[in-house]
Amino acid sequence: EGVAVRARARLLDSSGHVAVILDDITESRRVEAVRRDFVANVSHELKTPVGALHVLAEAVAAASEDPVAVRRFASRMTHESARLARLVQEIIDLSRLQGAEPLPDLRPLPTAALLAEAVDRTRLVAQAQAISIAVIGDGELQVLGDENQLVTAVANLLDNAISYSPRGTRVVLGVRRSGTTVEISVADEGIGIAEKDLERVFERFYRADPARSRATGGTGLGLAIVKHIATNHGGSVTVWSAEGAGSTFTLRLPLFTGPAPSFTFEDRRA
Ligand code: ADP
């Protein structure tokens, strides 16, 4: 990849030498290309549920004499519109996270509360899949962050761990300190991720297995959102995985060593 430049000014001095001022527009070109890609992807992703709703609405109209069929189509419409709503919400979340929105509202947060809230948000999906979530580690560790964003990040990781695991397996949500960093990890015993997909799963709309992602209601945006939240907090997110054995996602955030919070941490299971 070369450097893109644009001539801003041309100067001629008295002895006839020409100087040209060049602006490096590599970065702005890249940002522009990313934005174009995003809009193209969003349009493509929106077409699927919108198209499905259209077909279902026609089916309802055509089947109006058959109440059983009408109910079946209506229930699929409910499902598709919920999917559409989630997609739109995640697109909004993501564009807020990567746009010029102010930095997150940073407050010292005990990880125990964050993890408990994230487990709460995913409790129903976990129950439906008979998956148990074990929370282990030192919940007294604190991070500086925006509560809503950090809960969303952990909940997205939990949601994936559940979606890409067989029924009855276990998910371990751990928190520990590593130097000046707090590591929050989500480990599952699921299908794992192939080597070739590993570094791409954080890209917007990238899915290792599109059919499976759609079947579980995935939007392909969950991990892109997690990555932006991590970066906004001065942290990072990485993945380790072995196909067929499981995956572990680790969210690293700067440790906050302020006044001790007043709460007790308990091992919670969903
Ligand atoms: P999706 O909505 O499709 O789950 P994500 O951005 O959350 O989108 O994840 C991107 C892709 O990464 C998924 O489609 C899936 O292929 C893969 N993936 C994410 N988490 C896991 C996991 N815990 N186990 C296996 N594959 C995963």
Side-chain angles (χ1 to χ4, degrees):
E1 287 173 17
V3 172
V5 291
R6 179 189 290 139
R8 191 197 320 165
R10 197 193 285 259
L11 311 166
L12 200 63
D13 75 6
S14 53
S15 53
H17 290 110
V18 178
V20 181
I21 298 176
L22 299 175
D23 284 330
D24 179 354
I25 55 166
T26 319
E27 178 58 16
S28 62
R29 279 250 174 108
R30 200 190 59 79
V31 170
E32 228 171 80
V34 167
R35 192 170 298 140
R36 260 201 315 271
D37 262 19
F38 186 48
V39 172
N41 281 333
V42 163
S43 324
H44 178 79
E45 296 290 333
L46 289 174
K47 270 187 194 159
T48 312
V50 170
L53 282 171
H54 183 84
V55 170
L56 287 165
E58 284 181 342
V60 167
S64 56
E65 307 294 306
D66 177 355
V68 176
V70 167
R71 265 202 298 280
R72 195 174 69 237
F73 293 138
S75 126
R76 284 183 48 200
M77 289 179 83
T78 307
H79 179 82
E80 288 297 334
S81 53
R83 211 180 119 64
L84 185 58
R86 192 170 52 240
L87 186 58
V88 168
Q89 185 57 54
E90 291 200 339
I91 289 167
I92 292 169
D93 288 351
L94 192 58
S95 63
R96 277 203 185 124
L97 284 167
Q98 59 195 13
E101 292 280 308
L103 277 172
D105 165 26
L106 299 178
R107 271 187 301 144
L109 302 165
T111 47
L114 285 179
L115 303 194
E117 178 63 26
V119 170
D120 253 13
R121 280 204 208 169
T122 49
R123 193 178 294 280
L124 289 179
V125 239
Q127 270 166 6
Q129 283 261 86
I131 285 176
S132 66
I133 303 175
V135 183
I136 59 170
D138 183 3
E140 287 192 28
L141 293 169
Q142 289 192 96
V143 293
L144 208 53
D146 178 297
E147 182 170 5
N148 188 39
Q149 285 193 18
L150 292 180
V151 170
T152 298
V154 178
N156 282 0
L157 294 177
L158 280 177
D159 207 53
N160 282 345
I162 296 161
S163 298
Y164 299 103
S165 291
R167 281 186 70 82
T169 53
R170 192 169 112 109
V171 171
V172 179
L173 174 57
V175 54
R176 65 184 199 117
R177 174 179 179 169
S178 167
T180 57
T181 301
V182 173
E183 294 185 350
I184 297 172
S185 58
V186 179
D188 65 54
E189 304 165 345
I191 60 172
I193 301 166
E195 183 94 37
K196 67 169 176 57
D197 296 314
L198 267 187
E199 50 180 81
R200 301 203 59 192
V201 291
F202 295 102
E203 291 174 20
R204 295 173 302 212
F205 298 119
Y206 188 83
R207 297 151 165 130
D209 179 348
R212 171 142 192 161
S213 163
R214 292 222 168 75
T216 58
T219 60
L221 290 177
L223 289 178
I225 289 174
V226 175
K227 188 174 171 185
H228 270 97
I229 292 174
T231 318
N232 278 2
H233 284 80
S236 64
V237 56
T238 54
V239 57
W240 171 92
S241 185
E243 253 188 304
S247 311
T248 300
F249 284 83
T250 306
L251 181 63
R252 291 186 181 75
L253 299 165
L255 172 73
F256 175 74
T257 46
S262 54
F263 67 91
T264 53
F265 181 66
E266 38 173 323
D267 192 57
R268 299 184 56 152
R269 267 159 230 281

